[in-house]
Amino acid sequence: MADETTATARDGGIRLYSTADGALRTAVFHLMTMPFTLRLRHADEDTLRVAAEACRGSLAGVDRTFSPFRPDSLTSRANRGDWGGLLRDPDFAEVYARASMAADLTRGHFRAMRHGRYDPVGLVKGWAIERAFDRFLRPLLDGGRAEAAVLGGGGDMQAGVRPGSDFTWGVGIEDPGRADMLAGTVRLGCGAVATSGLSKRGGHIDRMPAWDGSRSGRDPSDDVIQATVVGTHLTDADMWATTAVAAGLERFRTLTAREDDPSFAALLVMRDGHTARIHPRTPFGKDHEHRHDA
């Protein structure tokens, strides 16, 4: 933010920032080859520092357990045939169960098992952020130590406000065709936003065949290149965003027709440049919406 000034740099790679009036405090740290951002409104610096260290420690633990790039992670061991982590580690077992349920719910469009290898990347980051938020940030809101909090990384964020507050976070959704433009905006109080797409970090998404079974010739109006999903829980929003890109617009409409999360909405950017909104109560603003050249 333009009016923020660096407050301090901490051991362990956490940088703290604050607006001039101290109303908004921000911590930034890097994990999993990406930056994570924690923001607190109306909280003191010590509260931000402790929360950032706790969130970073939680996310680092998830990376050690699930990273497919670490030879000693439980994910890497599973891909070598050792699935003992399902019995030894509750987190590994929980994510495996969630990924299996997601595959059933999406009729196989969400896949944690790809090309014979297990990699729940389309779900685990959202799950990790949501869990850290619930453990370390929600108690600050409930206890009155912060008015609002948001934790995000790689296009995924979980947000909340203290009871009785009408504050909302403004979230801009990058246009995949032009980095200097927005595809849409959303105001978020308590809830989650997840964005998945092919322009950045899309290697974990397997595109499904066109309706006629072919791999080519899909109607560009059905071809999703980026999906942003709003919901109550980031784990679910992350899963649905990945599913939208894999499935395409019409399949995604069918899959989510009975979604019972009252906060659920999706903004899909199509290959032909158009956007599509799922659910009439969609909260996405139109101020920045446009059709870019395909």
Side-chain angles (χ1 to χ4, degrees):
M1 299 180 64
D3 59 343
E4 288 180 348
T5 57
T6 301
T8 184
R10 298 288 296 175
D11 292 339
I14 300 175
R15 296 190 65 85
L16 305 182
Y17 304 85
S18 175
T19 54
D21 60 3
L24 182 65
R25 299 187 186 276
T26 302
V28 179
F29 52 88
H30 284 73
L31 284 171
M32 308 177 192
T33 71
M34 71 185 75
F36 286 83
T37 301
L38 163 62
R39 286 196 166 114
L40 296 180
R41 178 173 167 84
H42 292 158
D44 59 44
E45 184 177 316
D46 286 342
T47 297
L48 174 67
R49 181 183 299 110
V50 171
E53 290 171 348
C55 289
R56 187 184 188 283
S58 178
L59 293 167
V62 170
D63 188 43
R64 288 192 296 271
T65 298
F66 291 96
S67 173
F69 307 109
R70 292 175 176 265
D72 59 341
S73 73
L74 294 182
T75 294
S76 294
R77 293 180 185 180
N79 284 321
R80 294 195 298 267
D82 176 9
W83 288 89
L86 292 175
L87 300 177
R88 298 190 303 267
D89 190 290
D91 291 344
F92 191 73
E94 178 183 344
V95 169
Y96 183 86
R98 285 177 177 267
S100 297
M101 289 188 290
D104 290 340
L105 182 64
T106 66
R107 301 179 188 175
H109 291 83
F110 177 91
R111 301 177 182 181
M113 188 67 70
R114 301 169 55 250
H115 312 300
R117 295 184 61 80
Y118 177 65
D119 183 3
V121 64
L123 178 150
V124 73
K125 177 162 60 69
W127 170 83
I129 293 173
E130 182 181 354
R131 186 179 69 160
F133 185 96
D134 288 342
R135 286 183 173 180
F136 307 116
L137 304 183
R138 198 172 301 281
L140 301 180
L141 304 176
D142 294 341
R145 298 178 62 192
E147 181 187 8
V150 62
L151 177 63
D156 299 338
M157 61 183 65
Q158 185 80 43
V161 298
R162 73 185 177 202
S165 174
D166 60 359
F167 178 80
T168 57
W169 297 100
V171 181
I173 302 162
E174 184 178 304
D175 189 307
R178 291 186 59 183
D180 61 336
M181 298 291 290
L182 295 178
T185 60
V186 63
R187 303 297 305 186
L188 191 67
C190 293
V193 179
T195 297
S196 186
L198 300 178
S199 61
K200 297 179 181 179
R201 301 180 183 274
H204 64 285
I205 302 174
D206 285 335
R207 307 301 297 279
M208 305 305 275
W211 283 105
D212 62 2
S214 66
R215 288 278 177 185
S216 61
R218 175 185 277 179
D219 184 343
S221 67
D222 186 65
D223 209 359
V224 179
I225 62 171
Q226 179 176 286
T228 298
V229 174
V230 174
T232 301
H233 300 287
L234 183 54
T235 309
D236 296 335
D238 197 10
M239 177 271 294
W240 279 126
T242 299
T243 298
V245 179
L249 173 60
E250 293 308 319
R251 282 183 175 141
F252 187 70
R253 285 190 193 277
T254 300
L255 291 169
T256 59
R258 296 185 178 181
E259 172 59 47
D260 59 4
D261 180 353
S263 299
F264 177 85
L267 175 67
L268 311 183
V269 180
M270 317 309 296
R271 187 170 297 280
D272 66 2
H274 286 94
T275 59
R277 288 171 168 80
I278 307 298
H279 280 215
R281 58 180 175 274
T282 175
F284 296 104
K286 297 182 179 181
D287 293 348
H288 301 279
E289 183 188 8
H290 69 288
R291 183 189 186 281
H292 62 74
D293 294 332

